Amino acid sequence: MNASSQTPGALPSVQHDPRPLQAAIASYATVHPAPAGPVPVNPDVPHRLQARGPEPLPPACFTCGASDGPLAPCPLGRRYPSGAQVLYCGTCMPHNPATAAATVITAAMDGDATTPQDIAQAEADAGLLFDPQRVQAAVDAAREQARAECAAELRERGEQLAVMADYKHRLDAVLRMLEGRPGTHMLAVAEVAAAAYDWPTPHDLIPMTLAWTRSATVPAEDAEDQRAVVDCVSAHGGRAHLVLTGDERHALASLLDSTVVRDINAPCPHSKACGMTDDEVDAADPHLFGWARLEVAGVDDGPRWYCTPACVFRALARAGERLEAADRQAEQGGAW
């Protein structure tokens, strides 16, 4: 695009062909010829019944302008402003049940119909009578058709969902096989095909094994996020992280080494009498030889007996937590 193309010159004049418009005007004038002289207005004609259009002279069909055939008044009672009835030919006559019934009855009476039964039969043959059984049959047929279409659509949706579920199952199998493998690992086509088309795969029966790299990220005590991250590696060299919250760290430590580290609130695994008071045990009982009697200052539950040093350590830890909670509550103005 250049400057000359952006600045057009004088636009050429558009030549319109007036002949189609003139032909349409002539056709309308032929169908609805204007009356020669002023059109009389009848004030008794309601506005809602006045026809929109000039009154043809001589009388003609309001729609097509035909005047050579039989004409009938408008079944809706429409009139021209002068009060003359609007006429229609047999082809352009608007549908009106009363007019149709009158036409059928007139034809029947002009024929061989001589009794009310003959006239009623003529109306029934013309489809003018209301038959509740026929209407109900039509409604039932439409309802059955709708049910059949809905059932077919549901079957189709079910088949589509089954296909999608199969593909999802294959994708999950392949992803399960890829789990823990580094991005540079090479797989045989047979392994991928076995994972995609066989169920269950060997990888679903054997759990993934992770090895600890002897590295872990432990948050500080005042850190907002208390999650610990344990660095691991899969059998194929892929990296993996074991993320543990504070409570999960203590629970895992208790499970890994119950003799060294245990949950401070866990019960003693050696004796049910561990942690009892002087009122609950007999100090002269030989079973208590080698046990420790612990009383923590500031804790008002009295001295208690513990079977191992680890139990004493956990009791001290529990007492420390209680004292720390009491200090926090005292700072906030509460009572312990």
Side-chain angles (χ1 to χ4, degrees), residues 84-104:
Q85 292 181 332
V86 174
L87 304 178
Y88 289 98
C89 64
T91 304
C92 302
M93 175 66 68
H95 176 70
N96 187 298
T99 304
T103 304
V104 172

Side-chain angles (χ1 to χ4, degrees), residues 322-333:
R322 294 181 59 183
L323 293 175
E324 184 180 359
D327 292 340
R328 287 197 302 267
Q329 190 171 4
E331 291 176 358
Q332 297 174 0

Side-chain angles (χ1 to χ4, degrees), residues 30-42:
T30 302
V31 175
H32 302 283
V39 178
V41 177
N42 189 345

Side-chain angles (χ1 to χ4, degrees), residues 37-54:
V39 178
V41 177
N42 189 345
D44 296 333
V45 178
H47 179 73
R48 62 183 180 83
L49 295 179
Q50 289 185 9
R52 296 182 181 180

Side-chain angles (χ1 to χ4, degrees), residues 247-330:
D247 296 337
E248 293 171 346
R249 289 163 51 192
H250 291 294
L252 180 59
S254 300
L255 292 175
L256 293 178
D257 195 344
S258 60
T259 61
V260 178
V261 180
R262 278 188 56 84
D263 185 2
I264 61 174
N265 296 310
C268 177
H270 306 293
S271 175
K272 295 182 179 180
C274 184
M276 291 186 176
T277 62
D278 291 340
D279 297 335
E280 297 173 332
V281 297
D282 184 4
D285 188 353
H287 179 71
L288 297 182
F289 289 171
W291 285 41
R293 184 174 180 270
L294 176 66
E295 182 177 4
V296 181
V299 179
D300 58 356
D301 57 353
R304 292 179 179 272
W305 293 84
Y306 298 98
C307 61
T308 63
C311 294
V312 174
F313 170 77
R314 289 191 291 274
L316 289 173
R318 289 194 298 270
E321 285 189 350
R322 294 181 59 183
L323 293 175
E324 184 180 359
D327 292 340
R328 287 197 302 267
Q329 190 171 4

Side-chain angles (χ1 to χ4, degrees), residues 22-36:
Q22 295 174 356
I25 295 175
S27 175
Y28 182 84
T30 302
V31 175
H32 302 283

